[in-house]
Amino acid sequence: MAKGQHAQACPKFVESYRLDPALGSLLNAATCHKAEGKTATAWSEFRDAEQQAHRAGDAKRQKFAASKAAEIEPTLPKLIITLLERPAGTKVSRDGLPLGDASLNTPLPVDPGEHTIRVEAPGFVTWETTVEAFAAKRASVVVPELDRAPVTQTAGGGGRGDARGAGDAGDAGDPPTGSGHDYRTAGLIIGGVGAASVAVGAIFAGMYFSAAGECEGASREENCPREDPLRDQMKTRGTISGITLVAGGAAVVAGAILYLTSTPRDEAQAGAEGAWVAPRLAPGGLGIDGGFSF
């Protein structure tokens, strides 16, 4: 510092004070910064030294620090930062130093020279400017309303095809290629089982009416005498017929719905597609009707 090499000397005094916060180190750092031209930094350090000396009962150093702070104060540049709006999450910094609410809209001492003001907020474009402060002058920065940040498209948004080649595979959000075919197969299996159940139910229904016909020409279970052995056969066959017909019909419907609703996208784009299955029971026989269109 005696040789005027303040840029090299001042950081050493600051580091000395950080390692051992002694009053003498702080006064040396303030004296060095004043000689370097960083008047606001020196003024702040002299004020801190004055308070420390007061608490320590060191009247001599307290008087020295107070006189130096008073000597610098009239020459201090001051900077006031004003925000026209402040969206939620707004952060303001000066030369990388975060500023709280109390530091805004208030003239604060700064070192002479250029200062960078930066304002950022979520969803808005970061705003930044540089202002120069001069001794004993007041500088002002008015931050305008921030511009909204442009909305970027996500992987699931529109225009995704523009960023992918024709041969690129789908991303994690795309459905598996073979899932449609798997569900269609399951639909066919369930529908087939249901159709078989309907067929079994129809067979037992035919057996029921056959037994009823043998039971004194009756067409209903109630008309068959209780002592007739055909009555138990009719009851058993009727129960089996009812259960299998209802369960089979439900399975056929479920299988058809599963088959139709899981049509692969590429086939669906080619045109409308559908399928249907229904049991057929007539006096002349038993069957299953079905069809499809494509």
Side-chain angles (χ1 to χ4, degrees):
M1 183 168 63
K3 294 180 179 179
Q5 299 175 359
H6 304 106
Q8 290 76 34
C10 293
K12 296 185 183 298
F13 285 123
V14 172
E15 180 66 6
S16 175
Y17 181 72
R18 188 186 70 82
L19 296 174
D20 180 15
L23 181 56
S25 298
L26 181 58
L27 287 171
N28 285 331
T31 301
C32 186
H33 283 136
K34 179 178 180 294
E36 189 181 12
K38 294 183 177 181
T39 52
T41 302
W43 175 79
S44 177
E45 291 169 339
F46 278 125
R47 292 293 303 272
D48 289 343
E50 178 186 358
Q51 295 175 4
Q52 289 188 28
H54 175 71
R55 289 193 296 268
D58 191 337
K60 182 178 180 180
R61 286 183 171 179
Q62 179 184 356
K63 182 178 180 181
F64 172 79
S67 64
K68 290 297 182 182
E71 178 184 331
I72 295 173
E73 190 167 358
T75 67
L76 290 176
K78 292 185 179 181
L79 175 63
I80 180 171
I81 302 174
T82 303
L83 273 64
L84 295 182
E85 68 166 352
R86 191 170 187 181
T90 299
K91 296 180 180 179
V92 183
S93 63
R94 185 189 69 222
D95 302 324
L97 177 67
L99 300 179
D101 293 342
S103 299
L104 302 177
N105 305 317
T106 301
L108 297 178
V110 293
D111 291 327
E114 290 188 349
H115 298 275
T116 300
I117 311 302
R118 183 182 179 90
V119 180
E120 51 189 337
F124 293 85
V125 178
T126 299
W127 185 89
E128 186 175 295
T129 190
T130 300
V131 60
E132 187 169 4
F134 298 93
K137 302 292 184 181
R138 176 180 293 188
S140 178
V141 172
V142 178
V143 181
E145 295 183 359
L146 301 180
D147 295 327
R148 291 275 183 179
V151 179
T152 58
Q153 293 179 345
T154 62
R160 182 178 57 183
D162 295 338
R164 286 164 47 181
D168 290 344
D171 58 24
D174 293 332
T177 304
S179 61
H181 294 286
D182 295 340
Y183 288 127
R184 296 184 72 193
T185 301
L188 290 175
I189 293 175
I190 294 174
V193 173
S197 298
V198 170
V200 171
I203 291 174
F204 274 92
M207 295 171 65
Y208 171 85
F209 286 110
S210 175
E214 295 177 10
C215 187
E216 299 180 355
S219 59
R220 299 180 59 187
E221 182 180 335
E222 290 79 0
N223 295 330
C224 191
R226 295 181 178 276
E227 64 275 6
D228 196 317
L230 290 176
R231 181 182 177 87
D232 292 336
Q233 296 181 15
M234 291 168 57
K235 187 175 181 179
T236 300
R237 294 169 182 174
T239 301
I240 296 175
S241 174
I243 293 175
T244 53
L245 284 174
V246 172
V252 169
V253 173
I257 292 175
L258 186 60
Y259 179 89
L260 295 176
T261 56
S262 59
T263 301
R265 182 171 54 190
D266 53 350
E267 295 183 11
Q269 291 175 345
E273 179 179 292
W276 56 274
V277 180
R280 173 170 51 83
L281 178 64
L286 171 68
I288 297 177
D289 295 331
F292 66 92
S293 60
F294 60 90

